[in-house]
Amino acid sequence: MDYVVLMQQITNGLVNGMTYVLIATGLTLVFGVLHIINFAHGEFYMLGAFFTFFAAQLLGLDYISAAIVATIGVAVLGILANRLFFWPLRREHEFTVLLSSLGLALLLTNGGELIFGADPKYIPSPFADEVVEIGQVVMTQQRALIFAVGAVVLVLLYLFIRHTSMGRMMRATAQNPEGAALTGVNIRNVYTVTFILACGLAALAGALVGPTSMIFPTVGSWAVLKGFIVVILGGLGSIPGALIGGLALGVVESLAGGYISLGFAQAIGYAIIIVVLLWRPQGLFGHARRV
């Protein structure tokens, strides 16, 4: 029985961890390629959840179609956010860009409360109540979908970065922006594609996780906090670090919540940040400027 409980907690942690990975990968992608810390990243997670809700309610789309439309819609908003809040400040001090992202986060949060309302909402999904049994481990189909889609998306992202011309330009920009520009790389296009991918990943996470809990306009603060914990744990700019860090955080939180207390599970992320910053400030994988 104890073994079954342990496996259940680990499974729950891996699913939660995949959510963190999707959020953190967008954060670390923007930092790794563009050297920008984006505090507004969590708000794109929030928009992904709300766009899914309204696409289903107002357009009458099924859950899968609504999630796809929401992800694409928020990715397009990423283009606008880049053009208005980040690209014009690319030559300014990093602190100026950070403040711009913080202002964007506040704008989106308050705008979300004005447009969507402050009342929590629930995204209906046909997978939310159906159960999958793997031996004696039980989970809903929605949670299984989160893990499966997250894994597929990460593989596709890896292949895109490693084996496409745009991926090579992104890696060149991450290593040396000035040198990349001198060799003919269109830095503006790299900025645009990076924000499309990052915002799309955040929105996808919101669309997938939305049916497992209530959504509200301030949920982005939770998302960006988890994302930063994972990014610090794995190393700024490291996508493999985001993957392993996110899954590890999810499992540790689940085990702590199951065997100690739920309150401790929420605090453990902060403890991890402190320990990692004291012991290895560049993160466990130590590739702060690589993708």
Side-chain angles (χ1 to χ4, degrees):
M1 182 62 68
D2 290 340
Y3 172 77
V4 174
V5 173
L6 175 62
M7 293 306 299
Q8 185 70 60
Q9 294 293 342
I10 291 176
T11 301
N12 293 341
L14 289 173
V15 173
N16 293 339
M18 185 57 74
T19 303
Y20 302 160
V21 171
L22 287 173
I23 298 169
T25 300
L27 269 175
T28 205
L29 191 65
V30 169
F31 180 84
V33 176
L34 309 179
H35 307 157
I36 291 172
I37 296 177
N38 182 14
F39 275 109
H41 191 72
E43 276 57 48
F44 292 101
Y45 169 93
M46 177 269 292
L47 289 176
F50 273 99
F51 279 24
T52 302
F53 174 81
F54 283 107
Q57 294 293 316
L58 301 180
L59 302 180
L61 299 178
D62 61 271
Y63 169 69
I64 296 295
S65 299
I68 293 173
V69 168
T71 300
I72 295 173
V74 175
V76 172
L77 283 181
I79 301 175
L80 185 62
N82 171 50
R83 295 292 173 89
L84 296 179
F85 292 88
F86 296 101
W87 175 255
L89 301 175
R90 65 192 182 280
R91 294 189 178 90
E92 301 295 333
H93 191 275
E94 292 179 356
F95 186 68
T96 302
V97 182
L98 187 149
L99 287 178
S100 179
S101 73
L102 183 58
L104 176 59
L106 294 173
L107 177 64
L108 292 176
T109 299
N110 288 281
E113 289 186 347
L114 179 65
I115 297 172
F116 305 138
D119 295 335
K121 294 176 176 60
Y122 173 75
I123 300 174
S125 168
F127 311 106
D129 298 322
E130 299 296 327
V131 172
V132 175
E133 295 185 13
I134 306 174
Q136 293 180 294
V137 175
V138 179
M139 72 175 78
T140 63
Q141 289 183 3
Q142 185 68 36
R143 294 177 65 79
L145 183 67
I146 292 172
F147 193 88
V149 172
V152 170
V153 167
L154 289 175
V155 170
L156 293 177
L157 178 64
Y158 175 83
L159 294 175
F160 174 81
I161 291 175
R162 292 294 175 185
H163 300 292
T164 67
S165 58
M166 177 54 70
R168 288 189 287 271
M169 287 190 283
M170 290 170 66
R171 285 186 282 133
T173 303
Q175 294 173 3
N176 188 333
E178 292 78 12
L182 290 174
T183 61
V185 173
N186 189 323
I187 302 298
R188 184 165 188 161
N189 285 347
V190 170
Y191 262 72
T192 299
V193 172
T194 302
F195 269 95
I196 288 174
L197 292 174
C199 294
L201 286 170
L204 178 62
L208 289 171
V209 179
T212 66
S213 61
M214 304 299 288
I215 60 172
F216 41 91
T218 57
V219 72
S221 59
W222 167 87
V224 77
L225 175 61
K226 294 296 184 181
F228 275 121
I229 291 174
V230 172
V231 166
I232 291 172
L233 175 61
L236 281 167
S238 171
I239 289 179
L243 173 61
I244 297 175
L247 295 178
L249 177 64
V251 171
V252 170
E253 283 186 342
S254 181
L255 293 175
Y259 290 100
I260 303 177
S261 72
L262 290 176
F264 182 78
Q266 296 302 314
I268 198 167
Y270 300 103
I272 289 175
I273 285 181
I274 294 172
V275 171
V276 170
L277 288 177
L278 289 174
W279 170 55
R280 193 175 175 84
Q282 72 272 33
L284 297 180
F285 291 83
H287 298 303
R289 299 257 178 192
R290 296 183 64 183
V291 179

